[in-house]
Amino acid sequence: MRKRQRRILQLILICLSLLLISFWANGRLQQRNIATAVAKGKHIYDMTALSKVELDQLDMQTAVLTDPEITALIADHDFGFLDAVALGAGEAAAWKNQGCGARNCAHIALYDYDAGGTINAILNTDNHRIIARWFDTNAFPSGSEFILPKAMEIAAADPTVRAILGDLGDPEPAMIPMSAWLMDDACREEWCVNLTYHDPAGSGKIFHIFINMEQNKVARTFFTRGRADLPVAPPPPQRYDFSDGCQEDLYGWDVCWEMTANDGVNFYDASFEGTDIFESVKVSQVEAWYPSWPGGYRDEIGSRSSVPPYGPTEFTDFGDSFEVRQLFTEFTHWPNCICCYRYEEYIRFYEDGRFQIGFVSHGPGCDDLSVYRPFYRIDLALDGRGQDDVWVWDTTQWVEATQEMELYPFVDDLSPDNEKLATFDGDTSYRWQMYRSDPLGLDEARVFLVDFKESEGDGPIPPGPGDVFMPPRQWIDGDAVSGKDPVIWWVPLLKTKKSNPTWCQPDPEPGINPCETILEARPAGELVQPTEEELAAIPTATATAVSQETATPAPTNTPRPVEGEDAEDIILNSGCGSCHQIGDLGEGHKVGPDLSNIGSIAAERIDGMSAEEYIFESITDPNAFILADCPNGPCLPNIMPRDYTNRLSSGQIDLMIEFLLEQQAESVSLPIVGDANEALPAPKTPASVKNQVAAAITSPAFQLVQILLIVMTFILTLFLILKLPDDD
């Protein structure tokens, strides 16, 4: 072989080696960045995981993956380990005969990425035997530290994420990965996880990354609003302050309670004067719904959940009743955070046999306009399990609930005694009423009546698909409920308000504007049909005030007007800016179309309709005209509030129309946030030198430069070799 040929071959080998080393180094750096991001996420999990019984997670994985029945279920499937949590005595009651008691049995969950849903197992840790197994096709579990590597790897490969955040290991996460859903995307019916980061540009906003865990891709990215910090000292960190307990024979009541991993406080084995009342009351999830996305979170409360307990479990004796209450919060810096949550769960037991189930939300959540939906499961056991009759009020009479059913609305069309539901077993009888508390009279709830079945909520309850009330809706299958073993699911709808009256918001001062909902069950005598006189006395809109013992504001059935004397205040107080960009008002890339140039195009929208008429109709009847395209996808009906005709005066509407007609900015084509084909500009705020170097090393542009340099070196060297005389 000639010397020139040998040199060319050596050059090719050297360049190939350099290319391989370059790719290997970049891959290692990328993996280190992902590992750093995973470590930061796990650190947040460590701060929120407050289980008093620590399980060997590797041992739990081994146990479930060596079980023959489980391995048969997941054969040839792509699956992932989710978590293992210890069960309390109340949660484990279904497996008491298999040796389960307080914290000696564990619930283990896997996710099936191919078929969707979770594979569940109950392990007795005393003998290391799996004693129960089931598959839940509708489960969309909360995020866990074990799915972090997969989620981070998907996010790190997305060009939009890299353009906004740079290296995923550099920015600080806002909260732990959350199970989330989008109303207009596959994330409504497939399992998606939302990663959240503080905006590196320093805007105070939160950057959201929706990851479809089944399709292995980023479904959408967007920002949510920022908010100035309040002058409030951060709460002190705490761990393990909550407590399990039992109360015996106080005001006639016996009841126990325990902290669960993901279903809040489980109240169980409640009896009054020796008669059983309920088997269990717990919260399976808190669904947070944001119209501006449109979508939300499946929050969970508990010792190993997205919103952990904070402070001790409070027991209060009021002299004629007692209450057990637990606060749950993202405690590291509430209320000076955007995407963080603060809830309270409690039950109050009275000496006359009444009990009140209550839930409080403090906000602020990820956006100003939102709806909180706690999912309560109430497992009745009136005078023991079975044979409990269930009747519902149907406009003018009580009718028996012969089949499983859904009640909606639940606070309207009530009996003369303001009741909607009656349950009884012999002489043990209870009537159910939800108190009105919303200051605008917008109280509402959905109630589901189902017959008790094993594995339908008696153990740990994973969340289901978003905005479809699963569970329990999938368990309504026509079975008999009255005279059987009924379970009541109560899902109140708590709607936040930013303008006066402020509701479900920490502004202007945390702790003074929480929203609260109460469901009361009170003893009653024999169920009798009302007389004609009683029916005639029923008001057209039934309202009841919350007892003076609570701090809930007095309600009104008349929607309060939106305050504001100029267009900007009216628009902001109406919540328009949460979904629309309107010039300098509001935010772009939300669920509603950009209205910054509506004054120029309104007259062209509908033939024969002037710009003023079109805007008026769009405000007063939002579903009249639905545009085809909105920033994040097709425009959707029933997102914009439809009560502005009751809350806005004609003068206020005229001011809004005049202001909107003045919005004639030139139409700007903006890339849709989350489109993988469009990379948004990187933040202009200078980062530290370390971050700049790290971002440069792992960026696709820098990888391209490396390849070009090697190619140029190869070409130049090859040219010089060819110019050399051939030496044999």
Side-chain angles (χ1 to χ4, degrees):
M1 180 182 293
R2 294 180 178 181
K3 184 182 295 184
R4 179 183 295 169
Q5 292 175 327
R6 288 197 302 271
R7 289 177 179 175
I8 292 175
L9 180 60
Q10 290 171 353
L11 173 62
I12 292 173
L13 292 174
I14 291 171
C15 288
L16 286 175
S17 299
L18 289 174
L19 278 173
L20 291 174
I21 292 171
S22 174
F23 285 127
W24 175 82
N26 278 295
R28 288 293 301 273
L29 286 170
Q30 180 76 348
Q31 289 302 315
R32 280 204 293 268
N33 288 326
I34 293 174
T36 301
V38 169
K40 288 183 177 181
K42 286 186 176 180
H43 175 66
I44 298 181
Y45 272 111
D46 290 341
M47 296 173 68
T48 59
L50 303 175
S51 302
K52 294 185 178 181
V53 177
E54 295 296 334
L55 298 174
D56 185 332
Q57 297 290 335
L58 182 59
D59 186 47
M60 298 293 104
Q61 291 184 54
T62 302
V64 74
L65 294 179
T66 54
D67 178 74
E69 294 186 41
I70 296 293
T71 53
L73 282 174
I74 60 177
D76 301 323
H77 281 217
D78 180 18
F79 66 91
F81 178 79
L82 292 173
D83 207 357
V85 297
L87 302 179
E91 278 190 298
W95 303 284
K96 184 177 180 179
N97 293 336
Q98 285 91 350
C100 290
R103 313 295 176 187
N104 73 317
C105 285
H107 172 242
I108 308 172
L110 308 173
Y111 193 80
D112 188 331
Y113 291 107
D114 290 333
T118 57
I119 299 100
N120 303 269
I122 301 297
L123 175 74
N124 186 318
T125 58
D126 291 338
N127 55 29
H128 224 62
R129 290 178 52 202
I130 291 182
I131 57 178
R133 309 156 189 84
W134 70 95
F135 186 74
D136 189 342
T137 58
N138 291 296
F140 290 78
S142 58
S144 78
E145 61 184 280
F146 302 102
I147 60 98
L148 270 174
K150 178 182 175 76
M152 294 296 181
E153 186 174 352
I154 295 170
D158 184 79
T160 301
V161 173
R162 291 199 301 266
I164 297 294
L165 298 181
D167 285 338
L168 207 58
D170 291 334
E172 293 301 319
M175 59 182 180
I176 65 175
M178 303 273 285
S179 181
W181 52 278
L182 293 169
M183 188 174 179
D184 57 344
D185 183 83
C187 285
R188 186 173 187 177
E189 299 177 352
E190 297 177 354
W191 183 37
C192 292
V193 172
N194 182 221
L195 306 179
T196 51
Y197 288 90
H198 297 283
D199 181 9
S203 68
K205 296 181 180 181
I206 300 298
F207 182 60
H208 295 256
I209 309 170
F210 265 77
I211 297 176
N212 189 313
M213 300 294 288
E214 297 184 33
Q215 296 186 19
N216 294 318
K217 72 174 187 178
V218 172
R220 181 174 299 166
T221 63
F222 57 90
F223 285 95
T224 53
R225 58 132 171 101
R227 179 172 62 83
D229 282 354
L230 299 172
V232 179
Q238 60 83 46
R239 297 177 76 87
Y240 311 124
D241 282 357
F242 60 87
S243 58
D244 301 342
C246 290
Q247 179 60 56
E248 296 182 358
D249 196 22
L250 182 60
Y251 305 115
W253 283 95
D254 295 307
V255 66
C256 293
W257 59 91
E258 64 188 6
M259 181 62 65
T260 70
N262 301 102
D263 296 331
V265 176
N266 178 36
F267 295 86
Y268 65 99
D269 291 348
S271 63
F272 179 68
E273 295 183 346
T275 300
D276 292 339
I277 303 300
F278 64 76
E279 188 85 8
S280 170
V281 174
K282 58 185 178 181
V283 181
S284 67
Q285 65 169 315
V286 183
E287 191 174 77
W289 151 240
Y290 299 104
S292 62
W293 292 12
Y297 288 125
R298 306 176 187 95
D299 268 355
E300 291 183 307
I301 55 177
S303 62
R304 197 170 170 83
S305 67
S306 54
V307 187
Y310 181 81
T313 306
E314 297 180 352
F315 180 93
T316 306
D317 187 339
F318 293 99
D320 64 345
S321 60
F322 68 91
E323 177 187 275
V324 180
R325 180 184 293 253
Q326 180 66 56
L327 172 66
F328 299 85
T329 189
E330 190 280 304
F331 58 83
T332 54
H333 48 281
W334 194 93
N336 288 322
C337 52
I338 302 301
C339 285
C340 57
Y341 298 86
R342 191 176 182 90
Y343 304 124
E344 294 178 59
E345 176 194 3
Y346 68 89
I347 299 185
R348 187 166 178 175
F349 301 90
Y350 289 83
E351 63 182 358
D352 60 3
R354 286 180 297 143
F355 62 97
Q356 292 178 341
I357 301 170
F359 185 85
V360 180
S361 175
H362 293 255
C366 287
D367 236 329
D368 289 329
L369 292 184
S370 56
V371 181
Y372 296 103
R373 303 164 175 166
F375 283 57
Y376 270 91
R377 181 184 184 273
I378 306 166
D379 187 0
L380 284 183
L382 298 179
D383 199 17
R385 273 207 171 279
Q387 299 183 334
D388 291 344
D389 292 314
V390 181
W391 289 60
V392 298
W393 178 257
D394 183 17
T395 310
T396 59
Q397 62 180 337
W398 288 100
V399 297
E400 188 173 12
T402 56
Q403 291 185 328
E404 296 175 327
M405 63 189 304
E406 176 178 349
L407 298 178
Y408 181 82
F410 189 70
V411 297
D412 296 322
D413 301 325
L414 304 178
S415 75
D417 294 322
N418 296 323
E419 299 157 345
K420 190 75 171 184
L421 181 66
T423 55
F424 51 91
D425 185 344
D427 294 333
T428 305
S429 177
Y430 274 84
R431 308 281 197 276
W432 300 78
Q433 175 192 2
M434 176 176 160
Y435 284 124
R436 288 186 180 272
S437 57
D438 189 292
L440 299 183
L442 301 178
D443 307 88
E444 198 42 81
R446 291 183 183 270
V447 169
F448 302 84
L449 305 175
V450 298
D451 186 37
F452 175 88
K453 296 183 182 68
E454 291 184 0
S455 301
E456 289 190 357
D458 50 333
I461 310 172
D467 201 38
V468 292
F469 298 93
M470 289 186 182
R473 184 177 277 166
Q474 74 269 31
W475 296 329
I476 296 180
D477 50 19
D479 288 346
V481 63
S482 185
K484 303 285 286 184
D485 195 356
V487 175
I488 301 171
W489 286 77
W490 172 54
V491 187
L493 313 180
L494 299 169
K495 304 173 183 179
T496 66
K497 296 163 190 67
K498 183 71 171 177
S499 60
N500 188 27
T502 302
W503 187 243
C504 266
Q505 297 281 346
D507 305 319
E509 180 182 338
I512 66 170
N513 295 310
C515 50
E516 181 176 14
T517 184
I518 296 173
L519 179 66
E520 181 177 87
R522 52 177 172 262
E526 181 183 357
L527 185 67
V528 296
Q529 299 292 355
T531 64
E532 292 185 5
E533 291 78 10
E534 289 173 326
L535 289 175
I538 296 178
T540 55
T542 306
T544 58
V546 177
S547 62
Q548 295 180 354
E549 298 159 328
T550 70
T552 306
T556 174
N557 285 320
T558 303
R560 297 189 185 183
V562 173
E563 294 188 352
E565 297 181 358
D566 58 67
E568 288 88 344
D569 285 344
I570 296 169
I571 287 172
L572 292 175
N573 290 339
S574 298
C576 306
S578 295
C579 298
H580 298 279
Q581 178 84 46
I582 313 173
D584 294 332
L585 303 179
E587 298 181 35
H589 297 305
K590 290 298 188 67
V591 68
D594 192 324
L595 302 179
S596 300
N597 68 331
I598 187 65
S600 302
I601 61 176
E604 304 171 2
R605 288 281 171 83
I606 303 296
D607 290 340
M609 183 174 284
S610 68
E612 293 88 342
E613 292 170 334
Y614 174 81
I615 294 175
F616 175 83
E617 193 76 11
S618 298
I619 294 172
T620 58
D621 186 9
N623 285 342
F625 312 118
I626 304 295
L627 293 182
D629 298 314
C630 278
N632 290 321
C635 297
L636 302 172
N638 302 319
I639 298 296
M640 183 171 164
R642 287 165 284 172
D643 62 351
Y644 285 136
T645 53
N646 295 325
R647 299 184 58 206
L648 293 169
S649 67
S650 58
Q652 288 177 314
I653 293 177
D654 290 341
L655 285 173
M656 291 178 68
I657 293 174
E658 182 180 347
F659 179 84
L660 292 171
L661 288 173
E662 294 173 355
Q663 304 306 306
Q664 300 188 14
E666 292 185 8
S667 180
V668 178
S669 178
L670 295 175
I672 295 176
V673 177
D675 186 345
N677 296 319
E678 295 282 359
L680 297 182
K684 296 181 180 179
T685 301
S688 67
V689 173
K690 176 182 177 181
N691 288 350
Q692 289 176 354
V693 172
I697 290 175
T698 59
S699 68
F702 188 77
Q703 293 177 14
L704 179 61
V705 170
Q706 287 179 305
I707 295 172
L708 289 175
L709 285 174
I710 293 172
V711 171
M712 289 176 63
T713 302
F714 174 80
I715 294 173
L716 180 60
T717 308
L718 181 61
F719 174 76
L720 293 175
I721 291 174
L722 292 175
K723 293 289 289 182
L724 290 174
D726 192 7
D727 186 2
D728 293 331

